[in-house]
Amino acid sequence: MLHLNDLTIGYRGNAVASHLTAHLAVGTMTCLIGRNGSGKSTLLRTIAAFQPPLSGSVTFSLPEPVDISVMTPRQRARTIGVVLTESTDVGNMTVREMVAMGRSPYTGFWGRLSSDDEAQVSEALRMTGMEAFADTYVNAISDGERQKVMIAKALAQQTPFILLDEPTAFLDYPSKVSTMTMLRDLCHEQGKTVLLSTHDLDTALRLTDRVWLMENGGITDGGAEVAGSLVV
């Protein structure tokens, strides 16, 4: 379980959202929604420890509560898989090589992949429909295909928690539905806990278990009813 404990987030002392208290239950998919500028990406980055909170804390039950701020980088990498919207310069790296980077928290000093690591990479490619692109360079595929590669990398990481910032932003409608369905099935069948931000309310509300609505500097945790009046 993931807990936000009276969390205030922002930059250089300027709060974007304050006194956030909510939790994610194991085996559920939660959609984070809100208008532009409400703090969705800032919250995801804070949960992932990419930036510090202004106050409060983020804790994970593993099974004992652990503050994300005291975890080592390797512990965090084995706990949270993260897919952000920022593009990265991957140079001459194939799709398989990029997805294989998700196994780095488990490999030894030399980073050599075991047969189990290779199997996890192949399974992540299969789940995201990117098997046919395994030997294609990442900089030669479309934005939507690259987004699937980054999701596959997070899946190969085999973490109990997965955070995604607009994971379906570059996908066509059928791919959006299949990606959201795959993530929901991961939660229900493998006990993963997924938190993703999205502007696609229709797909989100049909497929998600819970909703976190960010507005007016706060957060509301609930079902589809909390998003009923929101126009993003």
Side-chain angles (χ1 to χ4, degrees):
M1 192 174 288
L2 181 155
H3 300 268
L4 309 184
N5 308 300
D6 196 24
L7 186 69
T8 296
I9 59 174
Y11 300 88
R12 298 183 181 89
N14 296 316
V16 174
S18 304
H19 304 296
L20 308 180
T21 298
H23 73 274
L24 298 178
V26 172
T28 59
M29 183 170 79
T30 300
C31 283
L32 178 62
I33 62 176
R35 295 178 174 84
N36 290 333
S38 61
K40 299 187 300 297
S41 295
T42 304
L43 176 59
L44 291 176
R45 294 181 64 85
T46 303
I47 293 173
F50 292 166
Q51 66 183 70
L54 299 182
S55 65
S57 64
V58 178
T59 57
F60 293 84
S61 298
L62 299 172
E64 296 299 319
V66 180
D67 191 318
I68 186 69
S69 67
V70 303
M71 290 184 184
T72 67
R74 181 174 287 267
Q75 286 174 323
R76 287 199 295 268
R78 291 187 174 193
T79 302
I80 318 169
V82 183
V83 179
L84 299 178
T85 53
E86 291 94 336
S87 60
T88 54
D89 183 8
V90 294
N92 294 322
M93 182 177 289
T94 67
V95 166
R96 177 174 287 276
E97 289 169 341
M98 172 59 78
V99 175
M101 290 182 66
R103 299 303 301 165
S104 59
Y106 308 96
T107 57
F109 177 80
W110 299 107
R112 295 193 180 106
L113 299 183
S114 67
S115 58
D116 180 64
D117 293 324
E118 295 284 6
Q120 294 298 334
V121 171
S122 295
E123 176 63 7
L125 289 168
R126 184 196 66 78
M127 293 178 68
T128 53
M130 294 301 291
E131 291 171 296
F133 295 86
D135 297 321
T136 303
Y137 288 113
V138 176
N139 57 11
I141 60 180
S142 70
D143 288 338
E145 290 161 347
R146 188 176 300 193
Q147 191 76 344
K148 289 184 178 180
V149 171
M150 301 313 293
I151 293 173
K153 176 177 174 287
L155 297 181
Q157 205 170 326
Q158 281 197 302
T159 57
F161 297 91
I162 303 176
L163 307 179
L164 307 102
D165 193 6
E166 294 286 348
T168 62
F170 302 110
L171 305 181
D172 57 29
Y173 186 75
S175 294
K176 286 182 180 182
V177 173
S178 65
T179 298
M180 293 285 283
T181 301
M182 175 198 66
L183 292 171
R184 184 192 60 185
D185 291 347
L186 273 176
C187 295
H188 295 178
E189 296 171 8
Q190 298 185 25
K192 304 283 187 182
T193 303
V194 169
L195 174 64
L196 63 91
S197 69
T198 183
H199 282 88
D200 188 353
L201 291 183
D202 178 61
T203 304
L205 296 180
R206 285 193 295 112
L207 294 173
T208 196
D209 297 307
R210 303 289 292 172
V211 170
W212 280 5
L213 171 61
M214 295 193 70
E215 62 177 352
N216 302 322
I219 193 168
T220 303
D221 180 359
E225 72 280 356
V226 305
S229 62
L230 181 68
V231 179
V232 179

